[in-house]
Structures are given as C-alpha cells and as structure tokens.
Amino acid sequence: NDGLWDWNLITNEVYFSPKWKEIIGYADDELENQFSTWQSLLHPDDIERTQQIVQDYIDGKLPAYEVEFRMRHKSGHYVEILARGSLVKDRDNKPLRFVGTHVDITKRKNAERKFQTIFESSQDAILMLTDQGFYDSNSAGLDMFKVDTRENFAKLKPSDLSPKTQPCGAASTEMEQYYIQQALEEGQIRFEWRHKRANGEEFDADVALSALQINGETALQALVRDISEQKRAESMLLERNQELQAANKRLKEAQDMLVQSEKLASIGQLAAGVAHEINNPVGFIRSNMSSFKRYTQKLLDTFDAAEELVKDSSDDELYPKLKSLKETQDFEYLKEDILDLLEESQEGIDRIVKIVKDLKDFSHAGDIEWELSDLHKGLESTLNIVHNELKYKTTIEKHYGNIPRVECMLSQLNQVFMNLLVNAGHAIDERGIIYVRTGMHDSDSIFIEIEDTGCGIAPEKLSRIFDPFFTTKPIGQGTGLGLALTYGIIEKHSGEITVESEVGKGTKFRIVLPIKQSLDG
C-alpha cells in the first residue's frame, strides 16, 4: 500500500510506482517520471522546508530521511504524505540513488488535528504519561496543576501531583499502581482522586484513566476534572439536608406532642363530662340511701317495739308464734346484715363521690389559667385516679411537707404526676413501694419527689429518657412521649426535673417548681 519512488541522482530521472501516483489521484501514464513532477505537486508552504531536508540528508547532515509534507491531489485537495528514504552509495561513499516510500497519512493527520483541537479546547486536564512519567499536558492541565510550561510538566511524575495519602487513609503510591494496573487490564477505569497542585493546594478530582497504543508502545491518558467545588456543594447540600431532616424531625416531634396534648385535653374534657353526668344520679342515690337507712332503722325499731307489746300481751299464743316466725326468717341475722349492707352501700357511694370529685379536680377541662393551687390536693386526686393500676403490686408511702399553694396549671401538673406514678408502677415487677414526697426546696420554690423500688434505668439510657419516642419499655408497650411531655410541662412552669436511678434498686424523679411564676418574662 506504499507508493515507491527511485531517484537517480546522476541522471535526475525519477521512477514513481503506480501506487505512488494513485495516492494523489493519477493513473500511471498521467505523470512524467521527473523530479520536477514531485516539486510541482508540493504544497507551496512545504516546498522550501522539504527540499532543505532532502538536501541536508543527501549532504550527510541528517542521520535519516523522514519528512511529512502535503501533495496536491488531482481533484485539487491536498494529501498528507509521510516520506521515508535511504541513499544508495558507491564504494567511494558517493550518493548514486535515493529510494524510498510515500504513505498516505491524511486520515491519521486529520485524527491528530481533531485530537489536538479537543486536547487544547478541553476544559478538563488531559495528561499523557508512560511508566517514565508525564510527557504531555494540555493547557487546562497546566492551569489546573499550576505548572508554567509543558517542559516543566514533563519533568513530573504522578506522585508529584498527589498528597502522600488519600482521604481513605491508603498511600497514594499504592493506589496509583492499582489504578494503572486496572487501566492496563481493562482498557479504562474511572475513580475519584485527591490531587495536589504545584503550590501545595489539594483538591478533589474525577479521573478517567485510559490505556492507549502510540507508535507501538503503551501509554496512558488521564482525563482529570476538578470537582472540589462540586464536592463542597455536595457537602453543603448534605449538611443542609441533614439540618432539614433534623428540623422536620423536631417539627414531627412537636406535632406528635401537640397531638398527644390535644388527646389529653380531650380525655380531660371527657373525664369532666363523665364526672358531671355521674354526679347527678350519684347525688340522688346518696340522698336516697341516707333516707333509706333512716327508714330501715325506724322499721326495725317499730318491729322491736311491736315485739315488746306482743310479749307483754295477755294472749299466750301470739308471742310464741312471733318468735317462731322470727326464727324461720332468720330475723336476727337479717337485722344485723341489712344495717351492714346499708353501711357498705353508703361507703361505696361515698367512694364514687370521691372518684367523681377527683376526676373533676384532675381534668379541669378548659381551664388554662394560672392559679394558686394545692399540689397535695392534685397529688391525692391523681393517686385516686391511678389507684386501680397500682394497688395490686405497690404500697404508696406519702411524706408531705408544709408547702404553700403554688402558681401553676394544676391540670397539667396532674398529668405529670400521673405519668411518673404510672411509670413507677410499671417499673415494679411484683411488689414494691412508691414514695411521694413534697417539701420546700428554698424560700422561693418547692419540690415533689416520686421514687420507686423498681428495676431502675441503665446509665446509657438515662440521658435520653426525656427524648421524644425514646422508651425503656418493650416494643409496643410505650410511645416514648410521656416523659417528653412531662419535661415540656415542667419547663413551661419554669421548673426543672431531674432523675437518679440505679439498676435493680429503683428510680427517683425530683421536680422543683417556683412558688410564683414570672409570667411577664
């Protein structure tokens, strides 16, 4: 596929092979075999340079003849030619003939020009290297790595453009060898890399490393894109996203607590309504039971009086009959039991009345006003509400101090007391004691303590017990909102709540509340 030429330096005759002529679009008989034919077809810009190279080679000034030039095709365009040749000399070393080849390298030169255009116009760094180091870089690479000239860049090795270690902690030299080997085996590999500029500044880069064959030798091309701004933007986006997630979580927690608070308010309203509805019929029953007890006592007194009259009468048969009737009906037992039943019924009704009163005290439905309240009364009503849940496995020991009325929202504090008392009951497996204490913390504040002898809380969990949705109870047995709501109520009352606990011994919650609220602050 090469065009052949043979130039007789003595006669100046030239032989051009048919393939030589075909490369520039001519038939074998269309061109004369003269040196001037070749000269006339050279591109005007290449004539002087090419002829000088030919003459220098013939004169022995060049070790080899290899030159690229352009020749005009028959159709008018120019063909890129690679010419190689050798001299044939006589015994006296006098040049006799100059023979060689022409190769059409137009496609290769077009590809090189296209590559060079891409090479120089690329905004990314394009680095060429072999196992000896770098041998070329485009302008973007020089600018990216802060190197002034290509000559200085060619003096560098990959290790000069990387810190000693990568962000993962591995040595850069070891990772370089790994990626180079992968590129040689697979043809191409892409990865992120921490690079270093000539001024020492480090930056993150996206690298595409490709294996190439250039003049029969394997080389590597690295396409390097500076992604430091992108990484910073990603980091900021991730940080903002985390902040947004945290804000959403806080909003969700606030919403859940609000829903829980609304539920409790609804329960309070329901309790107040139920208490109100029960109160009326209970009042009737209580009043009637009192009258019924008096009436029964009068009937029994009347019967006793009648019995005495019968006993004193002159009719000897009447009293024995009455006595027999009393024995048959077990009258003496009925007389004692009916009074006991009436007493127990009265106690039951009194108990219902107290429960209704406690429900009303506990709920305070619709009451959101700050007022001076008796906390002992609030504790008692709450203990009465949770009595049924605690009575089977706990003993309540109350140690109330002498404390004044406290400015508060009692219905909210009742909810706090209930949460702590119920949690204390849950912490006790079989039998235990719950201590309820009150007293003065200092001249301006009081304390309430609720302590149990239950299982206790592990130290690693203690710091999280007031976090929303955190619970020490088994899955499905706790919402994790009770103590979070408790903390919020105490904080709203400008107070503080602390906890002490020891696994296997129990837990103590201590609440400190100001006697007066600074509501204007």
Coordinates of all heavy atoms in Angstrom, one line a residue, residues 365-410:
A365 N -61.2 20.6 82.8 CA -61.4 20.8 81.4 C -61.6 22.3 81.0 O -62.4 23.0 81.6 CB -62.6 20.0 80.9
G366 N -60.8 22.7 80.0 CA -61.0 24.1 79.5 C -60.2 25.1 80.4 O -60.2 26.2 80.1
D367 N -59.7 24.6 81.5 CA -59.0 25.6 82.4 C -57.5 25.7 82.0 O -56.8 24.8 82.2 CB -59.1 25.0 83.9 CG -58.5 26.0 84.9 OD1 -58.1 27.1 84.5 OD2 -58.4 25.6 86.0
I368 N -57.2 26.8 81.5 CA -55.8 27.1 81.1 C -55.2 28.3 81.8 O -54.3 28.8 81.4 CB -55.7 27.3 79.5 CG1 -56.6 28.4 79.1 CG2 -56.0 26.0 78.8 CD1 -56.4 28.8 77.6
E369 N -55.9 28.7 82.9 CA -55.5 29.8 83.6 C -54.4 29.4 84.7 O -54.5 28.3 85.3 CB -56.7 30.5 84.3 CG -57.7 31.0 83.3 CD -57.2 32.2 82.5 OE1 -56.3 32.9 83.0 OE2 -57.6 32.3 81.3
W370 N -53.5 30.3 84.9 CA -52.6 30.2 86.0 C -53.3 30.5 87.3 O -54.0 31.6 87.4 CB -51.4 31.1 85.9 CG -50.5 30.7 84.7 CD1 -50.6 31.1 83.4 CD2 -49.4 29.8 84.7 NE1 -49.7 30.6 82.6 CE2 -48.9 29.8 83.4 CE3 -48.8 29.0 85.7 CZ2 -47.8 29.0 83.1 CZ3 -47.7 28.3 85.4 CH2 -47.2 28.2 84.1
E371 N -53.2 29.7 88.3 CA -53.9 30.0 89.6 C -53.1 29.3 90.7 O -52.3 28.3 90.5 CB -55.3 29.5 89.6 CG -55.4 28.0 89.3 CD -56.9 27.5 89.3 OE1 -57.8 28.4 89.3 OE2 -57.1 26.3 89.2
L372 N -53.3 29.8 91.9 CA -52.6 29.3 93.1 C -53.4 28.0 93.4 O -54.6 28.0 93.7 CB -52.7 30.3 94.3 CG -51.8 31.5 94.1 CD1 -52.1 32.5 95.2 CD2 -50.3 31.1 94.1
S373 N -52.6 26.9 93.5 CA -53.3 25.6 93.7 C -52.6 24.8 94.8 O -51.4 25.0 95.0 CB -53.2 24.8 92.3 OG -53.9 25.5 91.3
D374 N -53.3 23.9 95.3 CA -52.8 23.0 96.4 C -52.3 21.7 95.7 O -53.1 20.9 95.2 CB -54.0 22.6 97.3 CG -53.5 21.8 98.5 OD1 -52.4 21.3 98.5 OD2 -54.3 21.5 99.4
L375 N -51.0 21.6 95.6 CA -50.4 20.4 95.0 C -50.7 19.1 95.7 O -50.8 18.1 95.0 CB -48.9 20.6 94.8 CG -48.4 21.8 93.9 CD1 -46.9 21.7 93.7 CD2 -49.1 21.8 92.6
H376 N -50.9 19.2 97.0 CA -51.2 18.0 97.7 C -52.6 17.5 97.2 O -52.8 16.2 97.1 CB -51.2 18.2 99.2 CG -49.9 18.4 99.8 ND1 -49.6 19.0 101.0 CD2 -48.6 18.1 99.3 CE1 -48.4 19.1 101.2 NE2 -47.7 18.6 100.2
K377 N -53.5 18.4 97.0 CA -54.8 18.0 96.5 C -54.7 17.4 95.1 O -55.3 16.4 94.8 CB -55.7 19.2 96.5 CG -57.1 19.0 96.0 CD -57.9 20.3 96.1 CE -59.4 20.0 95.7 NZ -60.2 21.3 95.7
G378 N -53.8 18.0 94.3 CA -53.6 17.4 92.9 C -53.0 16.0 93.0 O -53.4 15.1 92.3
L379 N -52.0 15.8 93.9 CA -51.4 14.5 94.1 C -52.4 13.5 94.6 O -52.5 12.3 94.1 CB -50.2 14.6 95.1 CG -48.9 15.2 94.5 CD1 -48.0 15.5 95.7 CD2 -48.2 14.2 93.6
E380 N -53.3 13.9 95.5 CA -54.3 13.0 96.0 C -55.3 12.6 95.0 O -55.6 11.4 94.8 CB -55.0 13.6 97.2 CG -54.2 13.7 98.5 CD -53.8 12.3 99.0 OE1 -54.6 11.4 99.0 OE2 -52.6 12.1 99.3
S381 N -55.7 13.5 94.2 CA -56.7 13.2 93.1 C -56.1 12.3 92.1 O -56.7 11.4 91.6 CB -57.2 14.5 92.5 OG -56.2 15.2 91.8
T382 N -54.8 12.5 91.8 CA -54.1 11.7 90.8 C -53.9 10.3 91.3 O -54.1 9.3 90.6 CB -52.8 12.3 90.4 OG1 -53.0 13.7 89.9 CG2 -52.1 11.5 89.3
L383 N -53.5 10.2 92.6 CA -53.3 8.9 93.2 C -54.6 8.1 93.2 O -54.6 6.9 93.0 CB -52.8 9.0 94.6 CG -51.3 9.3 94.8 CD1 -51.0 9.8 96.2 CD2 -50.5 8.1 94.4
N384 N -55.7 8.8 93.4 CA -57.0 8.2 93.4 C -57.3 7.7 92.0 O -57.9 6.6 91.8 CB -58.1 9.1 93.9 CG -59.4 8.4 94.3 OD1 -59.3 7.3 94.7 ND2 -60.5 9.1 94.1
I385 N -57.0 8.4 90.9 CA -57.2 8.0 89.6 C -56.5 6.8 89.2 O -57.0 5.9 88.5 CB -56.9 9.2 88.6 CG1 -57.8 10.4 88.8 CG2 -56.9 8.7 87.1 CD1 -59.2 10.1 88.5
V386 N -55.2 6.7 89.6 CA -54.3 5.6 89.2 C -54.3 4.5 90.3 O -53.6 3.5 90.2 CB -52.9 6.0 88.9 CG1 -52.8 7.0 87.8 CG2 -52.2 6.6 90.2
H387 N -55.2 4.6 91.3 CA -55.2 3.6 92.4 C -55.4 2.2 91.9 O -54.7 1.3 92.3 CB -56.4 4.0 93.3 CG -56.6 3.0 94.4 ND1 -55.8 2.8 95.5 CD2 -57.6 2.0 94.5 CE1 -56.2 1.8 96.2 NE2 -57.4 1.3 95.6
N388 N -56.3 2.0 90.9 CA -56.6 0.7 90.5 C -55.4 0.0 89.8 O -55.3 -1.2 89.8 CB -57.8 0.7 89.5 CG -58.4 -0.7 89.3 OD1 -58.9 -1.3 90.2 ND2 -58.4 -1.1 88.0
E389 N -54.6 0.8 89.1 CA -53.4 0.3 88.4 C -52.3 -0.1 89.4 O -51.5 -0.9 89.1 CB -53.0 1.2 87.3 CG -51.9 0.7 86.4 CD -51.7 1.5 85.2 OE1 -52.5 2.4 84.9 OE2 -50.7 1.3 84.5
L390 N -52.2 0.6 90.5 CA -51.1 0.5 91.4 C -51.4 -0.4 92.6 O -50.5 -1.0 93.2 CB -50.7 1.8 91.9 CG -50.3 2.9 90.9 CD1 -49.9 4.2 91.6 CD2 -49.1 2.4 90.0
K391 N -52.6 -0.6 92.9 CA -53.0 -1.2 94.2 C -52.6 -2.7 94.3 O -52.3 -3.2 95.4 CB -54.5 -1.1 94.4 CG -55.4 -1.9 93.5 CD -56.8 -1.7 93.8 CE -57.7 -2.5 92.8 NZ -59.2 -2.3 93.1
Y392 N -52.4 -3.4 93.2 CA -52.1 -4.8 93.3 C -50.7 -5.2 93.6 O -50.4 -6.2 94.1 CB -52.5 -5.5 92.0 CG -54.0 -5.5 91.8 CD1 -54.5 -4.6 90.8 CD2 -54.9 -6.2 92.5 CE1 -55.9 -4.5 90.5 CE2 -56.3 -6.1 92.3 CZ -56.8 -5.2 91.3 OH -58.1 -5.1 91.1
K393 N -49.8 -4.2 93.3 CA -48.3 -4.6 93.5 C -47.5 -3.5 94.2 O -46.3 -3.6 94.3 CB -47.7 -4.9 92.1 CG -47.8 -3.8 91.1 CD -47.1 -4.3 89.8 CE -47.1 -3.2 88.7 NZ -46.4 -3.7 87.5
T394 N -48.2 -2.4 94.5 CA -47.4 -1.3 95.2 C -48.0 -0.8 96.4 O -49.2 -0.9 96.6 CB -47.3 -0.1 94.2 OG1 -48.6 0.4 94.0 CG2 -46.6 -0.5 92.9
T395 N -47.2 -0.3 97.3 CA -47.6 0.4 98.5 C -47.2 1.9 98.4 O -46.0 2.1 98.0 CB -47.0 -0.2 99.8 OG1 -47.3 -1.6 99.9 CG2 -47.4 0.6 101.0
I396 N -48.1 2.8 98.6 CA -47.8 4.2 98.4 C -47.5 4.7 99.8 O -48.3 4.6 100.7 CB -49.0 4.9 97.9 CG1 -49.5 4.3 96.5 CG2 -48.7 6.4 97.6 CD1 -48.5 4.4 95.4
E397 N -46.3 5.3 99.9 CA -45.9 6.0 101.2 C -45.8 7.5 100.9 O -45.0 7.9 100.1 CB -44.6 5.4 101.7 CG -44.7 4.0 102.2 CD -43.5 3.6 103.0 OE1 -42.6 4.5 103.3 OE2 -43.4 2.4 103.4
K398 N -46.6 8.2 101.6 CA -46.7 9.7 101.3 C -46.0 10.4 102.5 O -46.3 10.1 103.7 CB -48.1 10.1 101.2 CG -48.8 9.6 100.0 CD -50.3 10.0 99.9 CE -51.1 9.2 100.8 NZ -52.6 9.4 100.6
H399 N -45.1 11.3 102.1 CA -44.4 12.1 103.1 C -44.5 13.6 102.6 O -43.7 14.1 101.9 CB -42.9 11.7 103.2 CG -42.7 10.3 103.6 ND1 -42.8 9.8 104.9 CD2 -42.5 9.2 102.8 CE1 -42.6 8.5 104.9 NE2 -42.4 8.1 103.7
Y400 N -45.6 14.2 103.0 CA -45.9 15.6 102.6 C -45.3 16.6 103.6 O -45.5 16.5 104.8 CB -47.4 15.8 102.5 CG -48.1 15.0 101.4 CD1 -49.5 14.9 101.4 CD2 -47.4 14.5 100.3 CE1 -50.1 14.2 100.4 CE2 -48.0 13.7 99.3 CZ -49.4 13.6 99.3 OH -50.0 12.9 98.4
G401 N -44.6 17.5 103.0 CA -44.1 18.6 103.8 C -45.1 19.8 103.9 O -46.1 19.8 103.3
N402 N -44.7 20.8 104.6 CA -45.5 22.0 104.7 C -45.2 23.0 103.6 O -44.2 23.7 103.6 CB -45.3 22.7 106.0 CG -46.2 23.9 106.3 OD1 -47.2 24.0 105.6 ND2 -45.9 24.7 107.2
I403 N -46.0 22.9 102.5 CA -45.7 23.8 101.3 C -46.9 24.7 101.1 O -48.0 24.3 101.3 CB -45.4 23.0 100.1 CG1 -46.6 22.1 99.7 CG2 -44.1 22.1 100.3 CD1 -46.4 21.3 98.3
P404 N -46.6 25.9 100.5 CA -47.7 26.8 100.2 C -48.4 26.4 98.9 O -48.0 25.6 98.2 CB -47.0 28.2 100.1 CG -45.6 27.8 99.6 CD -45.3 26.5 100.2
R405 N -49.5 27.1 98.6 CA -50.1 27.0 97.3 C -49.1 27.5 96.2 O -48.3 28.4 96.4 CB -51.4 27.8 97.2 CG -52.5 27.1 98.0 CD -53.7 28.0 98.0 NE -54.8 27.3 98.7 CZ -55.8 26.6 98.0 NH1 -55.7 26.4 96.7 NH2 -56.7 26.0 98.7
V406 N -49.1 26.8 95.1 CA -48.2 27.1 94.0 C -48.9 27.7 92.8 O -50.0 27.2 92.4 CB -47.4 25.9 93.6 CG1 -46.5 26.1 92.4 CG2 -46.5 25.4 94.8
E407 N -48.4 28.7 92.2 CA -49.0 29.3 91.0 C -48.7 28.3 89.8 O -47.5 28.2 89.4 CB -48.5 30.7 90.7 CG -49.2 31.4 89.6 CD -48.8 32.8 89.5 OE1 -47.7 33.2 90.0 OE2 -49.5 33.6 88.8
C408 N -49.7 27.7 89.3 CA -49.5 26.7 88.2 C -50.8 26.5 87.4 O -51.8 27.0 87.7 CB -49.0 25.4 88.9 SG -50.3 24.7 90.0
M409 N -50.6 25.6 86.5 CA -51.8 25.0 85.8 C -51.9 23.6 86.3 O -51.3 22.6 85.9 CB -51.6 25.0 84.3 CG -51.5 26.3 83.6 SD -51.3 26.2 81.8 CE -51.2 27.9 81.4
L410 N -52.8 23.4 87.3 CA -52.8 22.2 88.1 C -53.2 21.0 87.2 O -52.6 19.9 87.4 CB -53.9 22.3 89.2 CG -53.9 21.1 90.2 CD1 -52.5 20.9 90.8 CD2 -54.9 21.3 91.3

